[in-house]
Amino acid sequence: MGSYYIPSNKLKGENRILYIFTGKSLIYTAVGGFIGFFAYLIFTLLQLKTAGILVLAIFALIGYGIGTIKMPTSGTSKLVKNVGGDSIDEIIVHYMQFKKNKKVYTYSIPRKEPSYADTSVTSPLVNFITGKTNSDSTKEENK
């Protein structure tokens, strides 16, 4: 029997800055903290420094979540099938692109609105028995 090399993988994740931060999540945390910093300044002016720090931390946490959390792939809903496995920031970008480029095509068929005050209603059964079509009955109503 010959010897063989077993990889130890002791340095896994060493390229990360603080182990929980990937490059993308660190950027999103900084952006969230930057937005929270403005709220911190407003709360500091109102003599609510503790509330300002709390709001700053919440915005940074939201930024970290947007950069890190991925949509789960398990489930049977239509949403999970469409966006399962994508990170939250990708979902937000795709949603903004969809809203920006959304085109709605409608097809309208001109029709006469029914008059609910008219009491002469012909039923489909009466039209069938007399051999009239809907166009015949509408021609009689227009006279």
Side-chain angles (χ1 to χ4, degrees):
M1 292 187 109
S3 63
Y4 54 92
Y5 175 73
I6 300 174
S8 63
N9 203 9
K10 292 179 184 175
L11 303 175
K12 181 180 178 184
E14 196 170 282
N15 58 350
R16 294 184 182 177
I17 297 172
L18 293 172
Y19 192 67
I20 62 168
F21 288 108
T22 60
K24 184 171 81 168
S25 66
L26 183 64
I27 291 169
Y28 277 98
T29 304
V31 169
F34 184 71
I35 294 169
F37 180 71
F38 288 115
Y40 168 76
L41 291 177
I42 292 170
F43 279 110
T44 304
L45 292 174
L46 298 173
Q47 305 295 326
L48 299 170
K49 192 171 185 175
T50 307
I53 293 171
L54 184 65
V55 170
L56 176 96
I58 289 171
F59 273 100
L61 188 64
I62 289 171
Y64 176 74
I66 289 173
T68 305
I69 297 174
K70 291 189 175 194
M71 192 71 169
T73 56
S74 62
T76 57
S77 70
K78 188 175 181 181
L79 178 69
V80 170
K81 289 180 182 177
N82 291 336
V83 297
D86 291 343
S87 60
I88 301 295
D89 66 325
E90 292 173 2
I91 295 170
I92 292 170
V93 168
H94 290 301
Y95 179 76
M96 290 188 322
Q97 288 174 348
F98 174 74
K99 282 296 187 183
K100 178 183 168 189
N101 298 327
K102 186 176 181 182
K103 295 178 183 174
V104 177
Y105 298 99
T106 60
Y107 300 99
S108 63
I109 300 171
R111 65 182 184 103
K112 180 183 173 192
E113 290 294 324
S115 172
Y116 295 109
D118 187 17
T119 58
S120 63
V121 178
T122 58
S123 70
L125 181 61
V126 172
N127 287 342
F128 178 72
I129 293 171
T130 59
K132 293 182 181 179
T133 61
N134 284 339
S135 61
D136 294 339
S137 61
T138 55
K139 287 178 187 175
E140 289 179 4
E141 289 177 7
N142 290 338
K143 288 182 183 178

